[in-house]
Amino acid sequence: MREFAAGIAAAALSAGIILVGAGTAAAEPVPDGTYQGTTDAPGGGLIWKGKTFRNGTVTNNFVFGLSGLSGNYYEDAAGRTVIDYGPSGLGFLTDTMVANGDGSYTGTTYLNGNQVGGFRLAR
């Protein structure tokens, strides 16, 4: 099961998420609400569609309205949003994100501390 989850995580999250249409609002240091995205991960763009942030918890959104791969998020001392997927049993998976001036976020996905992709989210 862990190998399956790691495969999904790698396919769905291990690359840049480039979103269609960036907003013009000022960036929030820690996101709130639903953000849409696409990814350049091999095959990931076919299944991963974005993230929903609520009260310190994030859930990834997939095709057909499916959601899952939840974690906790917080702002670190450097001002990055850090997503820890340990609550889903995926303690080897972490995302970090920084706010952009246009209301979008740019981030990086790590498996076992190794960078496996970058991403971008926007409303």
Side-chain angles (χ1 to χ4, degrees), residues 30-58:
V30 176
D32 184 50
T34 298
Y35 292 78
Q36 301 298 313
T38 60
T39 181
D40 62 4
L46 298 174
I47 60 172
W48 185 83
K49 299 301 176 192
K51 298 178 185 285
T52 299
F53 298 85
R54 293 266 191 275
N55 302 319
T57 301
V58 63

